[in-house]
Amino acid sequence: LEILVTVLNMNDNSPEFKQTNLTRAVPEDTKVNATIVAREDLSASDGDLDTIFYELITVLGTEGYFAIKGVNNPEIYLQKALDYEKFNVTTLVLNARDRPVGSADVINTATTTINIFIEQADTKSPWFLPCNFMNADKSICISSPYTGRVNITEMSTEPLILEPGPIYAIDPDRTLNEKIVYSIVGGNTDNVFSVDADTGNLTMNKAVTSPDSYLLQVMATQVNNIQKYSIATVEIKVINKSDYAPYFETKIYNGMVFVDLAPRSFVFQAGDPSSPLMITAVDADFPNV
C-alpha cells in the first residue's frame, strides 16, 4: 500500500524584522533621494517564504520628507530637503505584511520603529542684528542699515555709538554657533575708520576733515567658512561740533490778538499792534545764522 502525503504550507508565520527599533542621525543638508536606512536593515523575513509588502507611516507634520523605495522594497530615502528649524526629531513606523492590502486571506503583520534625529548643518550665512524676518518659517532675516555721526576735525577715542545698536551678527545655525569676525570692505575713504574683528566695535583712526558722509560696508564672516558671510551698511554722518545749547533771546514774550480774528491770523507784539510777535532762539555754535 503506497500512501502519498502532501504537506500544504499554511500562512501561520508572521513577518519578522531583525530589529524592532532603530535610530538614525541625519544631517540637515542631506541630499534629496539619499538613502536614510538601507534595505538590508529593514527587510523582514517570513517563515512561510511569502512575499513581504511594506508601508511607511510618518508622524503628523513631517509628511513628505521620508518614503520607501517601493511596496516590496523597504529602503527609506529622503524625499524632501530637511530644515532643522521646522523639526529636528521624528518617528517613522514601517509595517510589513505577508499579503497585499485588500487581500481576503489571513494577513500576518510586523512593525518596526525608526527614530530620526536631524543634525543641524552649517547652511545659513550670518545675520546682522536687529533684523526682521521676511518669511513665515523665519529662514530669512534682513537688517536695517546702522547709522552714526562724528564731529568734523575731531577723532573719537571710544567706539562709535550707532543706531539701532552696535554692529553685531550671529550664526543663525544656533546649535553650531560658529565664530564670526568683522571687517570693513568698502566706503572707508582715507582709512578713517576701523572695526574690531572680534567685537564689531567701530572706531576712528583719524579725524574727519571733510563734511561728506561715509557709507561703510561691513562684512561679517564665519571663521570656519569664508563663503558664509553677510554685509551690512553703516552710514556715518559728519557734523559740526555743538558745544552750546540753543537759547531764547527773551525769557518771556508778550503778544496780543483781536477779537473775532480768523484762524491762522498773526499774533502781534503787546503794545505794538503793527508788528507781528517774533519768537527767536540763537545758538553760539552758529553765530552767523
Side-chain angles (χ1 to χ4, degrees), residues 197-227:
D198 295 318
T199 66
N201 285 338
L202 189 66
T203 55
M204 299 183 71
N205 298 321
K206 62 180 75 171
V208 178
T209 58
S210 168
D212 298 330
S213 296
Y214 288 78
L215 201 61
L216 306 176
Q217 303 295 316
V218 176
M219 181 167 68
T221 310
Q222 289 184 194
V223 172
N224 70 320
N225 185 354
I226 61 174
Q227 294 184 352

Side-chain angles (χ1 to χ4, degrees), residues 16-18 38-45 54 74 94:
E16 292 185 2
F17 285 104
K18 296 177 184 177
R39 180 175 185 171
E40 53 267 25
D41 294 332
L42 294 173
S43 294
S45 59
Y54 299 94
L94 182 65

